[in-house]
Amino acid sequence: MQRSLALCLMLVAAVLLGTVSRAGAQILLVTGEYRVVDLDQPKNRIGVALVEARPDVRQNWVYVKLETEVVQRHQKDGWIKDEMLKPEQIWSNLHKGDKIKVQGGRGWDGSITAKSIWF
């Protein structure tokens, strides 16, 4: 009886430890609109501020990964066309002052790892 109780406790402890170590990377999902303040291509990150905040002061970093989905919207004469871009193409198409919508996860340090970016 004691042996099976000890085995059950060890199994529960192993499951809890395995779950805690995998959950440490991301603590909160984020969806929001931001204004681009800085572009840091060597570190694959975009400096952003809330739309209503000062447009020249960075409040946070948004990290662009290889898996990040990037969509650029073109509007002309009432027509709308969404163009899917590769993550590395964002650096030639995005400029300071542009508004972006980001969906991703917030890390322990407050930075955002983008799952998708629309602009």
Side-chain angles (χ1 to χ4, degrees), residues 20-36:
V20 169
S21 65
R22 276 186 264 128
Q26 180 173 305
I27 59 172
L28 183 67
L29 295 178
V30 176
T31 300
E33 292 190 16
Y34 301 96
R35 183 176 312 279
V36 175

Side-chain angles (χ1 to χ4, degrees), residues 53 60 109 114:
N60 210 341
D109 62 352

Side-chain angles (χ1 to χ4, degrees), residues 8 21 32 57 62 67 93 104 107 112 116:
C8 286
S21 65
V57 177
V62 174
E67 310 84 46
N93 292 294
I112 301 169
S116 58

